[in-house]
Amino acid sequence: MTAPAQQATGHLHTISRYYDGCGTGDVDLMRTTLADDVVHFFLAPNPGSTPVRGGEHLARYWRKVHAMIDAVWIVDHILDGDAEAVIEWTMFWTSPHSGRRVATRGAEWFMFGEDGRITEIRSYYRQETDRDTELDGFPYADRGYSRHGAASSSLHAGATTEEVRR
């Protein structure tokens, strides 16, 4: 078994690259992290909760989402295992209804193939139209999580900075 720090670094690196691709609409970058037969499951009744299947399809899906709402994801926390990882993340995005920049916090469970690429993603979050969603009273800033005006965490700098988008 790989030492926890080494394993966490490996999955964190892959997940961070995946989100950097999602946050810039870079299909090629996302494809380097995804298995050809990856499946991404979403929590209903959020918008777009139908599973997305296939690496190419998923990468193009996130390119479309990024273009529509200027979404950027930051990995805030990770628990890692041999072939799986669970993360907490923040998605900063622009509401098409109000033009307001919104922070949606969520968690995802990732499964990895023997080659280290992502084979399954199970996403858990609640997305509201025009307001932030997060744990009430949780000390995000004190724990090194991303926040409005500081779209990076102690784990993930992100491909872009939120300050540029504000």
Side-chain angles (χ1 to χ4, degrees):
M1 184 167 146
T2 307
Q6 292 171 338
Q7 187 69 15
T9 300
H11 290 325
L12 176 60
H13 179 71
T14 301
I15 294 168
S16 295
R17 283 185 17 253
Y18 167 70
Y19 281 124
D20 290 347
C22 292
T24 58
D26 186 335
V27 169
D28 293 334
L29 178 57
M30 285 182 269
R31 290 292 292 127
T32 67
T33 68
L34 298 170
D36 292 339
D37 60 350
V38 65
V39 180
H40 193 311
F41 297 96
F42 297 91
L43 189 65
N46 286 324
S49 59
T50 302
V52 177
R53 300 174 188 279
E56 185 72 23
H57 187 212
L58 183 58
R60 291 183 185 281
Y61 172 89
W62 287 125
R63 179 177 65 186
K64 180 180 171 183
V65 169
H66 171 74
M68 290 184 337
I69 62 173
D70 195 23
V72 174
W73 289 260
I74 303 296
V75 179
D76 290 315
H77 189 75
I78 187 168
L79 296 175
D80 222 321
D82 289 335
E84 59 191 352
V86 178
I87 66 160
E88 289 178 294
W89 50 258
T90 304
M91 176 181 64
F92 297 97
W93 58 285
T94 302
S95 168
H97 302 285
S98 67
R100 179 178 182 269
R101 202 70 177 147
V102 179
T104 298
R105 301 207 188 255
E108 289 185 334
W109 196 297
F110 286 82
M111 301 297 293
F112 297 87
E114 290 183 14
D115 63 358
R117 293 190 306 158
I118 301 165
T119 60
E120 182 179 279
I121 305 169
R122 298 188 309 260
S123 191
Y124 302 92
Y125 63 96
R126 179 177 175 155
Q127 187 171 353
E128 294 287 338
T129 303
D130 287 311
R131 65 181 179 143
D132 293 350
T133 55
E134 61 186 13
L135 298 173
D136 192 22
F138 187 80
Y140 288 105
D142 293 344
R143 301 250 182 119
Y145 285 51
S146 58
R147 58 195 184 283
H148 284 290
S152 64
S153 71
S154 58
L155 296 178
H156 183 204
T160 60
T161 61
E162 188 66 9
E163 292 83 0
V164 172
R165 292 184 153 81
R166 292 194 65 126

